[in-house]
Amino acid sequence: MKFSLPLFPEQASTVAGQVDALFYFLTAVSAVFSLLIAGLIIYFAVKYRRRSPDEVGVPIAGSHGLEALWIVIPFAISMVMFVWGAGVYFTIYRVPDNAMEIQVVGKQWMWKFQHLEGQREINELHVPVGRAVKLVMASQDVIHSFFVPAFRVKADVIPGTYRTIWFEATKPGTYHLFCAEYCGTQHSGMIGRVIVMEPAQYQAWLSGGAGSGVEGSPVAAGQRLFEDLACHTCHRLDQQGIGPVLAGLFGKQVQLQNGQVVTADENYIRESILNPMAKIVASFQPVMPSYQGRVSEEQLLQLITYIRSLTTQQPQTTKVTPPQGGPGAPGLPGEPQGGTTNSPPPPARQPSVGEMEAPS
Ligand code: CUA
């Protein structure tokens, strides 16, 4: 840190310096113009004051040169602000592809976190230093706002949709986490800490403590739910059932009955579970019941993580791939064996942790 005002929180993420630089620039421009205008008002008031009671002011016709100047200069300055601000905005809102994901559920009045490796936390978030972290955030009740001042990240968490932000912490330490949106009587208590650890320490933390291990992972929990809710009876994993095949779906374009094409992201899958009639996939019947009220926000995230983990060998299309040889058939020659969900046996195997992050 070049200079530190006690007014400012520590800079502990990759974007903190950029956000601060922009903020200093905006403050400096405002200060310069405030001083200039206030100074000129005082100077002119003194210089051109009326010196005798019968003095009459000289008429002024105006000056095109002066007008051009005060149009061009503020325009240039505001364009600098716009381009610079847009640049920082895109840096903050465009999640790097290699970011590790953590799921966040805000509720009155706590922050719940789930790591893909299975660890769960409340009001505490452990992350490794020097690694981009993507937060997929949902709210169980009202609007909350996830705010870590030291990282310069803040985003509203809105009921009924997912909000994604990311950060990369640059130094180990413990940082404040706040809810920055008034959300009820104990809003001020909806606080926590983000603990940034060295990668090795983080790995050690991940493998210790309650909730760790594959059993507690969102993928495993999602798979159990998928079976408990009998989703698998219609969404057959390796061949066409009543519902679309979900393997390889995530991130792909989906053709709808009304001709629209949508991307199968978190919000699309969420909507399809809660309000299945909203978007009907082409060549399927609108027969799916709604699961509104039957699954919690955390369970929704688990189901989505599970669906995302389902990969296929033909990731080009989401349109139903014809069954490959059928269940129990041996893999084709030259086909990778045992590493994909399309391989027999039909009951889905547990995808490994590494696979969950692999873009399919
Ligand atoms: Cu949650 Cu304020």
Side-chain angles (χ1 to χ4, degrees):
M1 219 183 302
K2 283 177 288 294
F3 68 103
S4 101
L5 276 174
L7 287 173
F8 280 77
E10 211 174 330
Q11 295 180 336
S13 79
T14 49
V15 298
Q18 297 176 46
V19 172
D20 287 1
L22 179 62
F23 183 77
Y24 291 140
F25 174 73
L26 295 176
T27 310
V29 169
S30 307
V32 164
F33 276 93
S34 302
L35 288 174
L36 181 72
I37 291 167
L40 285 177
I41 288 173
I42 294 166
Y43 172 75
F44 288 148
V46 172
K47 178 154 192 229
Y48 298 109
R49 71 186 185 279
R50 191 153 74 159
R51 283 154 216 263
S52 72
D54 40 312
E55 189 178 341
V56 178
V58 187
I60 298 170
S63 158
H64 290 298
L66 205 57
E67 280 182 34
L69 210 63
W70 75 51
I71 289 169
V72 170
I73 292 176
F75 176 74
I77 292 173
S78 57
M79 282 300 111
V80 169
M81 289 174 178
F82 167 68
V83 172
W84 189 350
V88 174
Y89 178 88
F90 284 124
T91 310
I92 291 175
Y93 285 90
R94 207 178 273 153
V95 183
D97 291 337
N98 60 351
M100 59 177 260
E101 181 179 317
I102 294 174
Q103 298 171 349
V104 183
V105 175
K107 57 173 283 197
Q108 289 170 322
W109 285 275
M110 63 177 80
W111 294 106
K112 295 163 113 177
F113 301 97
Q114 168 128 47
H115 298 249
L116 292 188
E117 292 83 356
Q119 288 280 14
R120 291 164 175 283
E121 309 184 71
I122 289 178
N123 291 344
E124 262 193 6
L125 173 61
H126 290 75
V127 292
V129 71
R131 175 96 197 264
V133 176
K134 170 191 179 187
L135 302 178
V136 177
M137 308 193 293
S139 167
Q140 203 169 302
D141 35 46
V142 299
I143 301 177
H144 303 278
S145 184
F146 184 93
F147 183 30
V148 182
F151 297 164
R152 309 293 190 273
V153 292
K154 179 160 106 175
D156 281 4
V157 185
I158 298 158
T161 187
Y162 291 118
R163 183 72 195 270
T164 301
I165 54 165
W166 77 280
F167 60 82
E168 180 179 330
T170 49
K171 49 185 166 183
T174 301
Y175 305 99
H176 286 296
L177 159 65
F178 296 115
C179 175
E181 178 72 49
Y182 181 71
C183 57
T185 52
Q186 286 170 56
H187 154 72
S188 64
M190 192 168 163
I191 55 177
R193 7 184 242 160
V194 180
I195 296 142
V196 178
M197 310 167 98
E198 293 293 350
Q201 238 187 321
Y202 175 71
Q203 283 309 324
W205 175 83
L206 265 188
S207 50
S212 64
V214 180
E215 275 311 299
S217 78
V219 173
Q223 184 177 3
R224 280 196 300 272
L225 264 172
F226 197 79
E227 282 154 20
D228 290 350
L229 296 168
C231 309
H232 63 301
T233 54
C234 294
H235 296 283
R236 307 271 296 269
L237 290 171
D238 55 347
Q239 55 185 298
Q240 183 167 355
I242 296 170
V245 171
L246 301 181
L249 168 71
F250 195 86
K252 297 297 175 324
Q253 302 292 109
V254 180
Q255 178 83 45
L256 302 183
Q257 216 160 50
N258 63 8
Q260 233 186 321
V261 176
V262 295
T263 304
D265 58 7
E266 285 97 345
N267 277 316
Y268 167 75
I269 298 175
R270 175 201 177 85
E271 183 185 56
S272 298
I273 295 171
L274 298 179
N275 183 13
M277 297 306 136
K279 296 192 173 71
I280 305 295
V281 177
S283 78
F284 284 92
Q285 294 303 310
V287 291
M288 179 169 157
S290 165
Y291 286 81
Q292 185 89 50
R294 293 180 59 187
V295 284
S296 69
E297 285 298 336
E298 277 154 281
Q299 289 175 324
L300 269 173
L301 280 166
Q302 290 163 351
L303 280 171
I304 291 168
T305 313
Y306 170 64
I307 290 167
R308 194 176 51 188
S309 76
L310 300 170
T311 53
T312 138
Q313 285 162 291
Q314 291 85 25
Q316 289 85 10
T317 57
T318 48
K319 284 303 287 282
V320 180
T321 38
Q324 275 256 318
L332 299 168
E335 199 174 47
Q337 291 291 324
T340 58
T341 37
N342 245 9
S343 303
R349 69 194 180 78
Q350 203 127 284
S352 68
V353 166
E355 199 180 333
M356 296 184 309
E357 288 187 349
S360 54

